[in-house]
Amino acid sequence: ATRLFFTAGEVASAELATISAYRYGRFEASIQFAEHDGIISSFFMWKPDSEKSDVNWNELDYEKVGLELASRKCKLQLNAIIGVPGPQGHESLVEVPGGICSSFHTYTFEWTPMYLAWIVDSTEIRRETGAVLRDFEEHAREGMRLHFNVWPGDSSFGGKFDEKRSAGVPIHRLGPLFRLRRERLLGA
């Protein structure tokens, strides 16, 4: 295993990803998202090469995309992204009791031949069937990789990162940011 060590100011973002791609199953992670405005953090499934103009884009997301400054509530966006050329997004914003940035929650994707589901703390909050599911069935046959990342946004997406206004920057996280579990579902 390679260990990388950096000092403050050398790293603006980070991503962890699986090498293997997976099709069908229950993919679960326990996460506390990064709190500050302008800092995007996410748990997502992504088909390799989706960024290429001749490849169908396939991506499923749990994405913290901003912070309502008045209430200090983090915003969670759920995405099913498809298309050639991509991305064509099917987004929705949801609220999670207890807040996504103040404590850990369990975020789950269920991908079966019959549906795609987003589940938070054992409660299903979104389900896709029909055209969106058919796109994943047709174009993500080889599976998708699991990713976790944190990166600075801008005024067009995720909020404006402002070091001077963001208390606690640089952000330090001690202890686990996530745990990941994958299980096969019966019939999938």
Side-chain angles (χ1 to χ4, degrees):
T2 301
R3 289 182 172 251
L4 301 175
F5 297 93
F6 300 96
T7 60
E10 291 180 6
V11 177
S13 60
E15 180 168 284
L16 298 173
T18 61
I19 294 170
S20 299
Y22 302 97
R23 182 176 188 204
Y24 300 145
R26 181 179 178 94
F27 307 92
E28 182 177 281
S30 180
I31 303 169
Q32 180 177 352
F33 288 99
E35 183 172 11
H36 302 281
D37 192 40
I39 299 172
I40 299 159
S41 47
S42 58
F43 165 42
F44 63 104
M45 298 183 73
W46 182 76
K47 183 181 74 181
D49 298 325
S50 286
E51 78 283 3
K52 294 180 179 177
S53 63
D54 62 338
V55 174
N56 197 84
W57 194 295
N58 289 101
E59 179 178 344
L60 301 173
D61 297 322
Y62 285 99
E63 195 160 40
K64 181 263 179 178
V65 294
L67 178 72
E68 294 175 10
L69 295 177
S71 67
R72 303 294 297 165
K73 276 188 177 178
C74 294
K75 295 187 272 185
L76 181 63
Q77 183 170 290
L78 310 178
N79 303 319
I81 303 172
I82 59 175
V84 168
Q88 298 167 9
H90 299 266
E91 299 94 7
S92 57
L93 288 172
V94 298
E95 286 198 31
V96 174
I100 65 170
C101 295
S102 57
S103 61
F104 280 85
H105 294 276
T106 301
Y107 299 89
T108 305
F109 292 111
E110 279 189 4
W111 182 12
T112 77
M114 304 303 292
Y115 65 89
L116 293 164
W118 289 253
I119 301 164
V120 178
D121 296 333
S122 301
T123 300
E124 185 175 308
I125 57 174
R126 180 174 171 182
R127 180 176 284 238
E128 289 286 347
T129 58
V132 171
L133 176 63
R134 282 192 302 276
D135 190 278
F136 281 85
E137 291 298 297
E138 183 178 339
H139 298 290
R141 287 187 183 115
E142 301 302 315
M144 296 190 294
R145 293 180 182 163
L146 297 161
H147 291 253
F148 302 88
N149 64 21
V150 59
W151 49 283
D154 60 29
S155 59
S156 70
F157 183 73
K160 180 73 173 122
F161 180 72
D162 182 349
E163 262 187 77
K164 293 177 184 158
R165 288 186 22 191
S166 295
V169 173
I171 293 175
H172 298 280
R173 293 285 185 193
L174 301 174
L177 286 175
F178 63 88
R179 292 185 315 264
L180 176 65
R181 187 177 85 171
R182 175 186 183 245
E183 63 184 62
R184 292 186 184 273
L185 298 174
L186 292 176

